[in-house]
Amino acid sequence: MIIQKTENSRISTFDPNNFSFGGTFIDHMIICEYENGKWGDVKLVPYGPIPFTPAMMGVNYGQACFEGMKAYKDKDGQVFLFRPEKNFERINKSAKRLAMPEVTEEMFLDGLKALVDIDRDWIPQGEGMSLYIRPLIFATEEALKARVSEKYMFAIVATPAKSYYSEPVSVKISDHYSRAANGGVGSAKAAGNYAASFYPTQLAIEEGYEQIIWTDDATHEYFEESGTMNVFVRINDTIYTPPTSEKILDGVTRDSFLQLAKKRGIEVKVEPIPVKTVIEAQKNGTLKEVWGVGTAVVTTVFQALGYQGEKLALPKLSDADSYAATLKKDLVDLQNNLSEDPFGWRVVVDHALETV
Amino acid sequence: MIIQKTENSRISTFDPNNFSFGGTFIDHMIICEYENGKWGDVKLVPYGPIPFTPAMMGVNYGQACFEGMKAYKDKDGQVFLFRPEKNFERINKSAKRLAMPEVTEEMFLDGLKALVDIDRDWIPQGEGMSLYIRPLIFATEEALKARVSEKYMFAIVATPAKSYYSEPVSVKISDHYSRAANGGVGSAKAAGNYAASFYPTQLAIEEGYEQIIWTDDATHEYFEESGTMNVFVRINDTIYTPPTSEKILDGVTRDSFLQLAKKRGIEVKVEPIPVKTVIEAQKNGTLKEVWGVGTAVVTTVFQALGYQGEKLALPKLSDADSYAATLKKDLVDLQNNLSEDPFGWRVVVDHALETV
C-alpha cells in the first residue's frame, strides 16, 4: 500500500457535536485503479477530487456498486469494524453481477483498516456515533460505447455519522412501482437501484408516506424490501423476513438481526411474506411490528402501512415490548463494545500507521 | 450561452479514415450545472476533465441518464441533426423517472447545435459516417446519503462515428435474466439499465451468441428488446414490434422504421410478440426476419435465435427482399440528405459560430 498522508489535515475544523452527516469527509481516502486487466497499487491519499470527463463510463452506463459500513469507537477509544468480511463478499457479488472486476482482500479489508486507522480521530464517540464508510467500484474509462468498461476505480471514502433516532414512519405498500426484476440486479448494491427508487418514493411522500415497502413487480403480492432496507414483520411473537434472492439484498444488519433474535429464543421464519397475510394480521390485531433494517439507521420502525388507499395503523410498543427496539439495542451494544461478542463480529482496528 | 473556444484544437490529429469510435472526442463539449434548484449558464468549453471525488452521487446512487444521437454531413458539407426534439423529449422523460431536473430547450437543442456547429470539421463525410452525440445528465453532489442529489451536470460530448456494416448475429432469447421490471426504469435511458445487461450478455456470449433478446421478467413469454435495441420481427410480410411501455424504450429509430414501413405500404403491427409465435413461425417457415434497431448501428440483423438450448436459423434474404435492409437504406438516405424528407426529420445546423 502506498501511503501519502495529507499535509493539510482538516481535523481541527471538525466539531463532533455539529457536523453534516454524509457531507463531511475525513482527511483521507483509499483509491486503486484497474487497467489492462489488473488492479494497480492500493493508495491511501488525501481525500479530494480526481479529474473525469462527462464521457466517464460510470455515469454513462452505470457500472457502479458500493457498500455501506461503519466503524465504532468505544469509551476507551478503541476502534472496531463490524463484520467487514460480509461487505467484502458482497461488493464482489455486486461487481460480478455488473460485469466489473472483483476486488482483493488487500484492497478492501487492508484498505479499510488503514483508512480507519489513520483517520481514527474523525470517529465521533458516544451513543450511536460512528464513522460511515463507503467502499465503491465504478467504471472510469472515457468511452461512448455501451459495453463493459476496461478501466475502473475502487475507492473508500468516509463521513462521520451521528447518533440519530429515527422517528416511526408511515410506509406505502407498493402497488405499481418496483425495485427489482426477476433476473435483474436487485440483490446487487448497484448504483442504479437507488436512482430507480427515488421517484416512486417522492410519489409516496406526496401521498403522505415517508417510505415504500417494495413488493414483487409481477403481482405486488409479496414484500421484498422497505426503502433501502430489509424488512421484518412480527405477527404475534414470530418474526418474519423474506429470504434473500436475486431480488433481495443480503443485508448485514438483516443477518445480524436474525442471529440476535435466535440467540434470544425469538421464533424467526425466513419465508416469503404475502401482503395479504400482513393486512389480515393488522385487521385481526396479531400484527405487532413492521420495521426496516440497514447499516445507516440500524432500524426504522413503521407506524402505519398504506394499502389500497387505506392507512393501517400499527401498535405503539414500549422499547421493552418491541422486538425491533430490543434487537437494535443488542446490535448497537455489540457494535460499540458495550456487550460480549459471542459471534466474533467485532474487528479491532490496530494502531499501525501512527509512525508513518 | 457562454462560449470558450479551445486554443489547442486537436483537429489536425484527427484522421477521418483511421480513428477509434467512442474513444476520439471532438474539441468541445457543452456543460451546464444545476445547483440551488436551478440550472446555471450553458457553456461551450474545450472537451476535458472536471474534478469529482469518489463521493459524487452519480456513481454512488446512479442518478444518470443519457441520449444517443447523430449529426450527418452531406456531400456538399451541409450538416444535419436527425429528429433532435425526440431526444430532447426523451431525456426529460428519463430525468423525471430518475427524479432528476429536466433540461431546457436552450440547454439541449441550442447546446447541441452550437456544439455541432463549432466542431463541424470533426464530422466525417461519406456513406454511414457521422458524429455520434451523447447528451447526458448526472448527479454531481458530493454526499454519502441515499437520497435525491441537489447538484447535477448536463453535458454534451461527441465522438466521430464510422460507417460500420454490422454482421448478422445470433441472439439468445432470455429465459432467466431480464432488462426491466414492471414499475421499473426500462423505458428510461437510465445508466443503470446498461450495467445490468452486461453480465447476462457475457453469459450469452459464452453460450455462442452475440446478443440477448430480452423477454418479460415474470414469464419470459414476450419479446421486449434486443441488446440495447428495439426489436422487430417479420412473419410473412407483416412487421411486428412490441408497443412501448414502462419497460420498453421509445426508440427514435424504432419510430422512424415504423413510419418508413407505413410509407412503403408494409403492414406493421405494434403489439406484444409472444416468443411462442416467433418459434412456431420459425418452425413452419413463415418467420422471415428478426432484427434490432438503434441509433448506433441503425440495424443489426439476426441470423439465429437461441431458444431452450436450440439454435434456430433464420433465412438469409437479399437486400432487395429484406425489409430490414430496405428500411435501413430509406432511413440512412434520409439522414444523409440523399433523399426527400417528407417527414421534416432533418434539422440543418447553421453556421453561426464561425465569427466567434
Side-chain angles (χ1 to χ4, degrees):
Chain A
M1 193 178 308
I2 294 171
I3 294 170
Q4 185 198 336
K5 273 184 90 164
T6 183
E7 292 175 1
N8 298 294
S9 171
R10 289 172 279 104
I11 188 76
S12 65
T13 67
F14 173 57
D15 177 356
N17 299 307
N18 183 22
F19 64 92
S20 140
F21 165 67
T24 305
F25 296 92
I26 63 173
D27 274 334
H28 298 88
M29 63 182 180
I30 295 286
I31 56 170
C32 185
E33 290 179 85
Y34 182 94
E35 201 171 352
N36 300 320
K38 62 178 192 299
W39 290 106
D41 289 321
V42 183
K43 296 177 191 168
L44 192 160
V45 298
Y47 174 81
I50 296 165
F52 295 115
T53 79
M56 194 219 325
M57 293 180 86
V59 292
N60 281 271
Y61 306 115
Q63 274 188 299
C65 63
F66 68 91
E67 280 300 319
M69 51 200 304
K70 285 181 174 173
Y72 307 87
K73 189 181 274 180
D74 74 8
K75 59 179 179 357
D76 303 322
Q78 249 198 317
V79 171
F80 300 91
L81 294 168
F82 181 73
R83 307 184 77 182
E85 74 290 350
K86 294 285 282 179
N87 300 90
F88 171 59
E89 283 164 21
R90 193 173 59 185
I91 201 169
N92 279 339
K93 203 175 143 191
S94 297
K96 188 176 177 190
R97 180 59 184 84
L98 297 171
M100 301 166 80
E102 296 183 25
V103 298
T104 64
E105 210 169 294
E106 187 211 347
M107 292 163 63
F108 193 94
L109 294 173
D110 296 353
L112 201 54
K113 286 175 195 168
L115 181 65
V116 171
D117 181 18
I118 204 166
D119 281 341
R120 60 174 64 230
D121 291 348
W122 286 88
I123 309 174
Q125 221 161 358
E127 198 189 332
M129 307 289 267
S130 62
L131 181 73
Y132 180 85
I133 308 166
R134 168 62 51 84
L136 73 155
I137 315 172
F138 57 100
T140 54
E141 188 184 348
E142 202 181 326
L144 302 177
K145 291 182 200 178
R147 57 143 172 83
V148 168
S149 175
E150 291 175 357
K151 296 182 188 175
Y152 297 89
M153 176 169 281
F154 168 70
I156 310 179
V157 292
T159 176
K162 279 174 207 182
S163 158
Y164 64 105
Y165 171 71
S166 127
E167 288 285 339
V169 300
S170 298
V171 289
K172 179 180 173 170
I173 299 174
S174 189
D175 52 9
H176 176 73
Y177 290 102
S178 67
R179 187 189 160 274
N182 295 297
V185 296
S187 68
K189 243 178 135 60
N193 289 346
Y194 294 80
S197 74
F198 295 153
Y199 177 70
T201 304
Q202 284 180 341
L203 294 180
I205 288 168
E206 285 168 19
E207 288 181 56
Y209 299 95
E210 277 89 19
Q211 253 181 44
I212 289 178
I213 292 188
W214 301 105
T215 50
D216 66 290
D217 78 307
T219 68
H220 300 290
E221 288 174 7
Y222 291 92
F223 276 26
E224 291 189 342
E225 297 190 13
S226 66
T228 58
M229 310 177 99
N230 290 112
V231 65
F232 282 80
V233 171
R234 173 182 171 191
I235 296 174
N236 290 317
D237 288 340
T238 302
I239 292 177
Y240 298 83
T241 195
T244 57
S245 69
E246 66 181 354
K247 301 174 77 180
I248 297 179
L249 197 77
D250 186 3
V252 179
T253 311
R254 172 188 176 280
D255 182 74
S256 304
F257 261 59
L258 289 176
Q259 295 198 47
L260 289 166
K262 282 178 196 158
K263 181 161 173 285
R264 278 198 172 263
I266 296 169
E267 191 181 15
V268 171
K269 290 193 176 166
V270 177
E271 57 185 48
I273 303 177
V275 174
K276 211 172 67 179
T277 302
V278 177
I279 301 302
E280 278 169 11
Q282 195 275 342
K283 304 274 188 199
N284 69 27
T286 55
L287 183 65
K288 297 286 168 56
E289 300 177 74
V290 185
W291 71 92
V293 304
T295 293
V297 277
V298 186
T299 297
T300 300
V301 170
F302 304 149
Q303 61 181 1
L305 305 177
Y307 182 65
Q308 294 183 340
E310 265 192 288
K311 209 166 190 169
L312 308 169
L314 286 160
K316 275 187 195 164
L317 302 184
S318 69
D319 278 4
D321 289 337
S322 162
Y323 285 174
T326 302
L327 295 171
K328 178 178 183 171
K329 186 168 185 325
D330 285 353
L331 180 60
V332 168
D333 282 354
L334 193 158
Q335 287 169 330
N336 288 279
N337 196 21
L338 293 168
S339 66
E340 290 302 304
D341 177 15
F343 306 100
W345 286 343
R346 282 194 299 262
V347 174
V348 180
V349 178
D350 293 321
H351 287 74
L353 290 176
E354 288 171 312
T355 56
V356 174
Chain B
M1 194 178 307
I2 294 171
I3 293 170
Q4 185 198 335
K5 273 184 89 163
T6 184
E7 291 176 1
N8 298 294
S9 171
R10 289 172 279 103
I11 188 74
S12 65
T13 66
F14 173 58
D15 177 356
N17 299 309
N18 182 23
F19 65 92
S20 141
F21 165 68
T24 305
F25 297 92
I26 64 174
D27 274 334
H28 298 87
M29 64 181 178
I30 294 285
I31 56 171
C32 185
E33 289 179 86
Y34 182 94
E35 200 170 353
N36 301 319
K38 61 179 195 297
W39 289 106
D41 290 321
V42 184
K43 296 176 191 168
L44 192 161
V45 297
Y47 174 81
I50 295 166
F52 296 114
T53 79
M56 194 221 322
M57 292 181 87
V59 293
N60 281 271
Y61 305 115
Q63 274 187 299
C65 63
F66 69 90
E67 281 300 318
M69 49 200 304
K70 285 181 174 173
Y72 307 87
K73 190 181 272 180
D74 75 5
K75 60 181 178 355
D76 303 322
Q78 249 197 320
V79 171
F80 301 91
L81 293 169
F82 181 73
R83 308 185 75 183
E85 73 290 350
K86 294 285 283 180
N87 301 90
F88 171 59
E89 284 162 22
R90 193 171 60 184
I91 201 169
N92 279 340
K93 202 174 144 194
S94 297
K96 188 175 176 191
R97 180 60 185 84
L98 298 172
M100 300 166 80
E102 296 183 25
V103 299
T104 65
E105 209 168 296
E106 188 210 347
M107 290 162 63
F108 192 95
L109 293 173
D110 296 354
L112 202 55
K113 285 174 194 167
L115 181 65
V116 171
D117 180 18
I118 203 165
D119 280 341
R120 61 174 65 231
D121 291 348
W122 286 88
I123 310 175
Q125 220 161 359
E127 197 189 332
M129 305 290 265
S130 62
L131 181 73
Y132 180 84
I133 308 166
R134 166 64 50 85
L136 74 154
I137 315 173
F138 57 101
T140 55
E141 188 185 348
E142 204 180 323
L144 302 177
K145 292 183 200 178
R147 57 144 173 82
V148 167
S149 175
E150 292 175 356
K151 296 182 188 175
Y152 297 89
M153 176 169 280
F154 168 69
I156 310 178
V157 293
T159 177
K162 279 174 208 182
S163 157
Y164 65 104
Y165 171 70
S166 126
E167 288 285 339
V169 300
S170 299
V171 289
K172 180 180 173 171
I173 299 174
S174 189
D175 52 10
H176 175 74
Y177 290 102
S178 67
R179 186 188 160 276
N182 295 297
V185 296
S187 67
K189 240 175 137 61
N193 289 346
Y194 294 80
S197 75
F198 294 153
Y199 178 70
T201 304
Q202 283 180 342
L203 295 181
I205 289 169
E206 284 168 20
E207 289 180 55
Y209 300 95
E210 276 88 20
Q211 254 180 43
I212 288 178
I213 291 188
W214 301 105
T215 50
D216 66 291
D217 77 308
T219 68
H220 301 291
E221 287 175 7
Y222 291 91
F223 275 27
E224 291 190 342
E225 297 191 12
S226 66
T228 59
M229 310 177 98
N230 289 113
V231 65
F232 282 81
V233 171
R234 172 182 172 191
I235 296 176
N236 290 318
D237 288 340
T238 303
I239 291 177
Y240 299 83
T241 196
T244 57
S245 71
E246 65 181 355
K247 301 174 77 179
I248 296 179
L249 198 78
D250 186 4
V252 180
T253 311
R254 172 188 177 281
D255 182 75
S256 304
F257 261 60
L258 289 176
Q259 295 197 46
L260 290 165
K262 283 177 194 156
K263 180 162 175 285
R264 277 198 172 263
I266 296 169
E267 190 179 17
V268 171
K269 291 193 176 166
V270 177
E271 58 184 47
I273 303 176
V275 174
K276 211 173 66 178
T277 302
V278 177
I279 301 302
E280 278 170 11
Q282 194 272 344
K283 305 272 186 198
N284 69 27
T286 56
L287 182 67
K288 296 287 168 55
E289 298 177 76
V290 185
W291 70 93
V293 304
T295 293
V297 276
V298 186
T299 296
T300 300
V301 170
F302 304 148
Q303 63 181 359
L305 305 176
Y307 183 65
Q308 294 183 340
E310 265 192 288
K311 208 165 191 170
L312 308 168
L314 286 159
K316 275 186 195 163
L317 301 184
S318 69
D319 279 3
D321 289 335
S322 161
Y323 285 174
T326 302
L327 295 171
K328 177 177 183 172
K329 186 170 187 321
D330 286 353
L331 180 60
V332 168
D333 282 354
L334 193 159
Q335 288 169 329
N336 288 279
N337 196 22
L338 293 168
S339 66
E340 289 303 303
D341 177 15
F343 306 100
W345 286 343
R346 281 194 299 261
V347 174
V348 179
V349 178
D350 293 322
H351 287 74
L353 290 176
E354 286 171 316
T355 57
V356 173

